[in-house]
Amino acid sequence: MAVIEAKNIYKKYGDVQVLTDVSVDVNEGEVVAVIGPSGSGKSTLLRCLNQLTQIDSGSIEVCGEKMVHTEENGVCKYADKAKLHQIQLKTGLVFQNFQLFPHFSVLKNIMDAPVQVLKMPEEQVREKAMEILEKLDLADKKDVYPFQLSGGQAQRVSIARALALSPAMLFFDEPTSALDPELTVEILRVMKDLAKDKMTMMVVTHEMAFAQSVADRVIFMDKGVVVEEGKPEKIFTSPDSDRVKQFLQYFSE
C-alpha cells in the first residue's frame, strides 16, 4: 500500500522553478532516501508533502486520502481545512534544527500534541511517551529542558515527539546536518532501529553510507527534477545517469 503518492509536482518561487514534474511514491514499511546536491529541491519536496509549502500543480495523496489535485482548468485545489488537518496527523516531520519548545520539559514536548491536538487522556499519553523515551535511551532526561540537552539528545527528542502521534510515516529533513560526526552516528543508529521496526520513512540526507545500507530505494534529485531512482545497490554501484556518477564520485574519493 502506498503511504505517499505524489504525481507531476511543480513548484516555483518567484521566477525560480524549484520542482519540475516530480513524481514520487513511498510504500508502507519502505525507507526512501532522497539524495542530491544542495539546492536540488529535496527539502522543498518534503515541505510540499507535509503541507508546509503549497504546490503550483500536480497531485498528492496520503494513505489514500486526496490532499491536493489539479483540476482540468489547471487550478490546484486542496482538500478542506478539516481534511488537511487529518491528513497532516498521518505523517511526522523531523527537522534539522530540532524545533523543540524551549519552555517545555522533554516529557511535555512529547506529550503536548497528543493531549492538545488528539485530545488523548493524559495518563495514556504519558505512558506511551515514557515507552518512547526508554526506547531512545532518554528516560533519564524526561524532566530536563531543551537547553540542557546535547544536539544528539535534542534530535532524539524531536524524533520521539514525532513518534508520539503514531504517524503512518516519518519525514526526515537532513536530520544530522546540525550535528558533529559523533552525534550523527547516534541519530543514524536510531533511524536504523526505526527501519528495522518497518517504520515508513522518507529521508533527505547527505549521509551516503546510511542511504546505501538502510534505504530500500534511493531517489537522486538535481535542479528540481528526479534524475534517477532505484535500489541502493544500483544507484551506488552502476547508476545510469552521468550526473549521478559525477555526484557520487565526491563521496568515494
Side-chain angles (χ1 to χ4, degrees):
M1 170 187 159
V3 179
I4 293 287
E5 283 187 283
K7 296 179 181 177
N8 312 115
I9 303 300
Y10 286 80
K11 177 62 187 177
K12 180 185 285 189
Y13 289 119
D15 295 329
V16 180
Q17 191 72 46
V18 184
L19 297 175
T20 304
D21 198 23
V22 172
S23 296
V24 299
D25 59 79
V26 183
N27 295 314
E28 187 175 6
E30 187 177 32
V31 179
V32 175
V34 186
I35 65 172
S38 297
S40 59
K42 307 183 301 295
S43 292
T44 299
L45 174 61
L46 250 63
R47 292 179 66 84
C48 290
L49 297 177
N50 279 280
Q51 303 181 39
L52 296 175
T53 297
Q54 290 201 342
I55 64 174
D56 297 327
S57 66
S59 67
I60 301 172
E61 290 189 9
V62 180
C63 296
E65 300 275 1
K66 191 171 289 186
M67 184 175 106
V68 57
H69 69 282
T70 302
E71 300 184 323
E72 290 184 7
N73 60 5
V75 174
C76 197
K77 185 174 181 181
Y78 276 78
D80 61 54
K81 190 174 180 180
K83 172 65 75 67
L84 289 177
H85 179 66
Q86 288 303 313
I87 290 173
Q88 196 166 43
L89 291 175
K90 296 179 186 295
T91 64
L93 175 60
V94 178
F95 297 91
Q96 38 184 286
N97 57 350
F98 322 140
Q99 304 237 342
L100 300 175
F101 297 116
H103 56 295
F104 286 176
S105 68
V106 164
L107 186 59
K108 187 166 174 56
N109 260 287
I110 297 168
M111 291 179 60
D112 190 61
V115 172
Q116 300 299 327
V117 178
L118 299 184
K119 308 300 181 186
M120 293 173 63
E122 192 166 328
E123 276 312 305
Q124 179 183 337
V125 173
R126 184 186 302 276
E127 184 177 338
K128 180 174 181 180
M130 287 307 302
E131 286 177 5
I132 296 171
L133 286 174
E134 289 277 3
K135 186 172 183 178
L136 299 185
D137 296 326
L138 287 167
D140 62 330
K141 302 296 182 184
K142 66 183 179 68
D143 294 321
V144 307
Y145 288 80
F147 77 90
Q148 298 171 292
L149 301 171
S150 70
Q153 290 167 342
Q155 190 61 291
R156 279 186 284 155
V157 174
S158 181
I159 295 171
R161 185 176 59 180
L163 290 171
L165 289 168
S166 301
M169 176 175 180
L170 283 182
F171 292 93
F172 292 84
D173 186 10
E174 294 287 4
T176 61
S177 65
L179 304 176
D180 63 39
E182 188 174 8
L183 298 179
T184 291
V185 171
E186 182 181 314
I187 298 307
L188 294 179
R189 178 186 59 77
V190 170
M191 294 170 67
K192 287 177 182 178
D193 288 344
L194 290 173
K196 288 177 185 174
D197 291 341
K198 293 299 180 184
M199 183 74 211
T200 308
M201 296 187 284
M202 177 179 267
V203 184
V204 168
T205 183
H206 282 112
E207 298 291 339
M208 295 300 110
F210 173 84
Q212 192 167 8
S213 63
V214 180
D216 298 297
R217 188 155 43 94
V218 175
I219 295 173
F220 180 88
M221 292 184 67
D222 188 29
K223 297 179 180 177
V225 302
V226 174
V227 176
E228 188 171 347
E229 68 175 291
K231 294 286 187 183
E233 53 268 30
K234 169 65 176 172
I235 297 296
F236 285 98
T237 60
S238 57
D240 296 323
S241 165
D242 288 338
R243 180 66 186 97
V244 179
K245 293 175 185 175
Q246 180 189 38
F247 177 80
L248 291 176
Q249 77 179 9
Y250 291 105
F251 297 93
S252 59
E253 291 175 350

